[in-house]
Amino acid sequence: MEKLKQHWGLKSNWEVLAIVIAFSVNGSFAAFIVKPSLSLIGITKENLNITVFYILYIIPVIAIYQFTLPLVGWVLGQYQFFKNMQTKMLIRMRLKKK
């Protein structure tokens, strides 16, 4: 825990726990949202090649995950951490300037 607190610049074990919980809950949440959404537009395992289905499944999961992560972080009181993390990621991907 101490290494994570130091690496992420956190002060308490609660902050580390809240961030780990946010990451795990958000992954399930994103997958939970995408599957019925794909079914609504007719993208299912039954009517597509399994490889194509999972490619079409993973892309929106990643997008939804990025969008909902700050929201889940906000619920757990860690909005600023996730906002800063996403900003750094967008800068590294050259989608946002410093």
Side-chain angles (χ1 to χ4, degrees):
M1 288 280 247
E2 291 305 315
K3 285 184 180 182
L4 284 177
K5 284 192 324 191
Q6 185 179 22
H7 180 71
W8 287 340
L10 304 173
K11 295 178 180 109
S12 70
N13 289 341
W14 160 248
E15 290 177 313
V16 175
L17 183 61
I19 289 167
V20 170
I21 289 170
F23 278 124
S24 59
V25 167
N26 193 54
S28 299
F29 182 62
F32 179 76
I33 291 172
V34 169
K35 193 166 187 172
S37 301
L38 290 178
S39 294
L40 283 174
I41 60 174
I43 298 174
T44 63
K45 288 182 193 178
E46 290 77 31
N47 65 1
L48 285 174
N49 176 299
I50 195 75
T51 305
V52 173
F53 171 78
Y54 278 113
I55 289 170
L56 293 174
Y57 180 73
I58 290 170
I59 291 169
V61 166
I62 292 169
I64 297 293
Y65 183 90
Q66 294 303 316
F67 177 74
T68 58
L69 189 58
L71 298 174
V72 174
W74 175 77
V75 169
L76 295 171
Q78 296 300 316
Y79 175 76
Q80 194 62 44
F81 173 83
F82 289 108
K83 181 182 170 198
N84 292 341
M85 187 183 84
Q86 280 192 321
T87 301
K88 287 179 189 176
M89 181 190 65
L90 290 172
I91 290 169
R92 287 183 188 139
M93 293 172 62
R94 297 194 169 118
L95 298 174
K96 184 175 182 176
K97 294 187 180 203
K98 289 184 180 181

